[in-house]
Amino acid sequence: MIIKEIKVKSIMTKTNLPVSDYAVNPYIGCSHACKYCYASFMKRFTNHTEPWGEFIDVKYWPVVKHAEKYAGKEVFFGSVTDCYQPCEEKYKRTRALLEQLQGSGIRISIATKSDLVTRDLDLIRTFPNARVSFSINTLDENFRKEMDKGVSIERRLAAMKIFYEAGIQTTCFISPIFPGITDVKAIIERAKKQCNLVWLENLNLRGDYRARILTWVHEHHSELDKLYHEIYDKKSRLYWTALDKQMREYTAQEKMLYLRDNDQHQSKFGEPPVVVNYFYHEEVRKSAKRLSEENGNNE
């Protein structure tokens, strides 16, 4: 692992993401080395030639001054990195930013594959309406090991439970859903008593990892070749339409609220989690663009 410390002008970046006003990424690169990671495109902008997952740039920025100007806004931790990847234990850049923003009135949401986030529970719980999301797209530890170098699924679920029992809004982010491999219902069943929200997101193949994933599927699940050809070459939505129908029926049976492309609804603690369908990336991008345009017109 090649680790380099770098200085940056700012850590708060305005974003068009539909879930937040700002994004923060205390690191460039990620040692979780997920085979399907869309953030590998960052190599184009950072002059890194190393394979994705084999380099990390540790960011140092000027201390955030007058953090109260962010009151009422929301910041998303980890849009193109995992803020709690193993190097955070040593460098503590994520914790440093939480300390700088504490008391400002900004809302935070965190996405991670790591249970290291539990270290900062004391800080996270001081932010209004804080949310912590754990990425889980399988209960099969062998498949998980094939796809990423994060902590085990059981450790993620245990961390999720800690936050849920502490009264922090928690999300089970079932992403990416591998057609024919990810058992969405089984994951919901496992997590539903310790999360407020479940997000569903499809496997979207693009960039340099498209060939890597299709090759892996062919080598390990050749019986799915035809299905993946239909979805990713012929652009068929039939699989996702069928899964959408299955989820509607399942959530109705379990008395869960089922939504589409909307993260603004959350269940109360002790109630069944809200399930949200984010299957179609192009529609999410359009939504983000529309929100950006609306915000521009209002300012």
Side-chain angles (χ1 to χ4, degrees):
M1 182 65 63
I2 299 174
I3 298 180
K4 180 173 62 175
E5 298 181 32
I6 64 173
K7 291 184 178 180
V8 296
K9 294 180 180 179
S10 175
I11 191 61
M12 303 288 288
T13 303
K14 285 189 174 182
T15 178
N16 289 332
L17 290 172
V19 296
S20 65
D21 303 292
Y22 294 87
V24 297
N25 294 283
Y27 305 99
I28 297 173
C30 183
S31 59
H32 288 161
C34 302
K35 284 185 170 68
Y36 49 76
C37 185
Y38 65 88
S40 58
F41 74 87
M42 289 295 293
K43 289 178 59 177
R44 300 201 305 267
F45 307 106
T46 57
N47 297 318
H48 279 282
T49 59
E50 305 90 349
W52 182 253
E54 296 185 11
F55 68 88
I56 298 169
D57 290 347
V58 181
K59 293 182 181 179
Y60 288 84
W61 55 87
V63 173
V64 177
K65 295 181 179 179
H66 307 296
E68 64 275 6
K69 66 184 178 182
Y70 297 115
K73 301 294 185 179
E74 182 161 351
V75 57
F76 176 53
F77 280 70
S79 61
V80 290
T81 192
D82 193 320
C83 297
Y84 286 97
Q85 59 183 293
C87 65
E88 167 64 15
E89 188 167 10
K90 173 182 178 180
Y91 291 100
K92 300 181 180 179
R93 302 308 297 146
T94 301
R95 185 172 179 88
L97 182 57
L98 288 171
E99 290 172 342
Q100 292 169 30
L101 294 175
Q102 190 177 26
S104 67
I106 195 170
R107 302 188 305 276
I108 63 171
S109 60
I110 298 169
T112 184
K113 284 184 168 73
S114 175
D115 55 356
L116 179 58
V117 66
T118 58
R119 180 202 64 189
D120 293 342
L121 174 60
D122 63 325
L123 273 172
I124 294 169
R125 71 194 314 169
T126 67
F127 287 82
N129 301 316
R131 297 186 296 173
V132 180
S133 169
F134 294 89
S135 297
I136 299 172
N137 73 340
T138 184
L139 297 179
D140 181 348
E141 193 61 21
N142 291 325
F143 176 65
R144 196 279 304 167
K145 290 178 180 178
E146 289 279 348
M147 289 296 132
D148 72 60
K149 297 179 181 178
V151 302
S152 70
I153 298 302
E154 286 304 313
R155 285 175 62 178
R156 298 178 204 185
L157 287 165
M160 181 191 298
K161 185 176 182 181
I162 289 171
F163 275 89
Y164 183 78
E165 292 182 345
I168 306 296
Q169 295 285 338
T170 57
T171 300
C172 180
F173 190 24
I174 305 179
S175 171
I177 296 171
F178 276 68
I181 299 174
T182 300
D183 189 337
V184 176
K185 189 163 69 171
I187 296 172
I188 297 176
E189 283 291 315
R190 179 66 178 80
K192 67 182 182 182
K193 292 184 179 180
Q194 58 194 61
C195 67
N196 306 94
L197 192 64
V198 176
W199 283 353
L200 311 177
E201 185 178 54
N202 63 319
L203 173 66
N204 185 27
L205 294 182
R206 60 175 182 255
D208 62 352
Y209 62 88
R210 174 187 172 93
R212 180 163 62 246
I213 293 298
L214 290 177
T215 297
W216 186 92
V217 170
H218 175 70
E219 292 176 349
H220 294 81
H221 291 278
S222 58
E223 74 279 6
L224 297 177
D225 283 347
K226 182 178 179 181
L227 175 62
Y228 277 69
H229 173 67
E230 290 289 327
I231 297 173
Y232 297 105
D233 294 327
K234 300 181 70 174
K235 309 301 181 184
S236 171
R237 285 190 173 188
L238 291 178
Y239 181 86
W240 304 115
T241 300
L243 183 56
D244 178 50
K245 181 175 183 294
Q246 179 189 3
M247 285 295 101
R248 287 184 184 281
E249 293 172 351
Y250 165 71
T251 52
Q253 176 184 328
E254 297 296 317
K255 295 181 171 54
M256 298 176 184
L257 182 60
Y258 184 74
L259 304 172
R260 183 173 175 185
D261 298 352
N262 186 331
D263 70 333
Q264 299 304 311
H265 294 75
Q266 297 175 340
S267 67
K268 296 179 181 179
F269 285 91
E271 294 182 350
V274 175
V275 180
V276 186
N277 171 344
Y278 278 98
F279 286 163
Y280 306 120
H281 286 256
E282 63 273 19
E283 294 178 9
V284 174
R285 287 199 297 270
K286 289 178 182 177
S287 174
K289 181 178 180 182
R290 183 177 68 253
L291 286 172
S292 177
E293 291 173 346
E294 290 173 354
N295 288 338
N297 291 333
N298 291 334
E299 294 177 347

